[in-house]
Amino acid sequence: EADIYQTPRYLVIGTGKKITLECSQTMGHDKMYWYQQDPGMELHLIHYSYGVNSTEKGDLSSESTVSRIRTEHFPLTLESARPSHTSQYLCASSESLLAGGPSTDTQYFGPGTRLTVL
Amino acid sequence: KNQVEQSPQSLIILEGKNCTLQCNYTVSPFSNLRWYKQDTGRGPVSLTIMTFSENTKSNGRYTATLDADTKQSSLHITASQLSDSASYICVVSDRGSTLGRLYFGRGTQLTVWP
């Protein structure tokens, strides 16, 4: 069982609200990721981090932002939520076993946050 | 274009039966292939990982195969159980850069009936 946690698990909010999705891991992993997943569709990488003070945008354009002030914590923020942001957000972390990037790592996923914006 | 295609999209089997899920990919250059299991409302959990030189890898009742020449992989589930009901996702990594990248399939939704 991976020690990676996400809160809240479910969130229903109105348009225009600012929200922060929390993600924390107790495995000491340097690398952390945020994915977006719609029902029946593949996961899309929206943000990743290789360590403290490191953040990069992923393959899928997202209006969200992330921060990495502590190794164990990787929160995602939406300044003004819209219905188009309705989705499942999955956080993951990994530890490099070999030299190189995320393709060599096994990623451990959190349980996800199901976000609904009305 | 690098892609990962899975089939079937969904599958229903009876408890105790075997099944095989397919994954075809066009990712190049290839680094490794993983199968993940994702229960409804949960995050994916890694089942197997195979590199270019590996043909078969087992994890309990799950056996994955890889044919790097034809760029195909399969996940065989033996003696299915109700708890096997989940989405099974094929993930392929490239090594086209020092950072690497993961390509996700859309998954096969497996339902096991009693």
Side-chain angles (χ1 to χ4, degrees):
Chain A
E1 191 80 16
D3 295 322
I4 180 164
Y5 310 97
Q6 291 185 243
T7 57
R9 292 292 314 280
Y10 303 92
L11 181 61
V12 181
I13 59 168
T15 297
K17 300 292 185 182
K18 176 181 178 179
I19 61 167
T20 297
L21 308 184
E22 301 289 348
C23 176
S24 60
Q25 50 96 5
T26 58
M27 297 173 283
H29 289 170
D30 290 326
K31 298 174 181 174
M32 297 189 73
Y33 316 83
W34 274 103
Y35 291 90
Q36 187 173 337
Q37 184 184 31
D38 293 318
M41 303 296 288
E42 63 268 44
L43 278 72
H44 291 285
L45 181 68
I46 52 175
H47 297 284
Y48 60 97
S49 166
Y50 285 128
V52 172
N53 294 325
S54 153
T55 61
E56 301 288 343
K57 288 190 177 297
D59 307 314
L60 182 68
S61 175
S62 175
E63 295 167 345
S64 58
T65 59
V66 293
S67 63
R68 190 85 183 277
I69 299 174
R70 303 199 314 266
T71 298
E72 62 272 20
H73 198 210
F74 191 40
L76 180 146
T77 299
L78 275 167
E79 291 293 332
S80 179
R82 295 206 302 271
S84 60
H85 296 139
T86 295
S87 188
Q88 167 139 325
Y89 293 84
L90 290 162
C91 179
S93 72
S94 69
E95 179 184 37
S96 294
L97 298 179
L98 300 171
S103 69
T104 60
D105 310 334
T106 293
Q107 294 186 15
Y108 297 89
F109 286 84
T113 293
R114 166 101 24 217
L115 173 65
T116 302
V117 184
L118 304 176
Chain B
K1 181 181 177 182
N2 289 323
Q3 286 186 313
V4 177
E5 300 287 342
Q6 292 188 242
S7 62
Q9 184 176 355
S10 61
L11 179 64
I12 300 174
I13 61 173
L14 294 177
E15 186 179 14
K17 299 296 185 182
N18 304 334
C19 67
T20 300
L21 314 180
Q22 300 290 342
C23 174
N24 297 337
Y25 62 92
T26 59
V27 177
S28 180
F30 174 84
S31 176
N32 58 67
L33 184 147
R34 295 177 173 89
W35 283 94
Y36 278 88
K37 177 186 179 187
Q38 184 176 22
D39 292 314
T40 301
R42 309 290 296 181
V45 175
S46 179
L47 294 175
T48 64
I49 176 172
M50 288 186 293
T51 59
F52 185 88
S53 59
E54 296 176 295
N55 301 119
T56 302
K57 183 164 284 190
S58 293
N59 177 2
R61 295 181 295 102
Y62 301 104
T63 299
T65 65
L66 174 64
D67 186 334
D69 291 331
T70 62
K71 297 187 177 181
Q72 295 179 326
S73 175
S74 66
L75 180 69
H76 186 76
I77 303 175
T78 304
S80 61
Q81 300 176 357
L82 298 180
S83 59
D84 292 332
S85 294
S87 178
Y88 292 84
I89 303 171
C90 177
V91 184
V92 181
S93 303
D94 73 7
R95 50 182 175 83
S97 70
T98 55
L99 295 180
R101 191 198 155 165
L102 299 181
Y103 296 85
F104 289 82
R106 294 185 175 184
T108 291
Q109 183 64 48
L110 175 66
T111 303
V112 181
W113 282 3

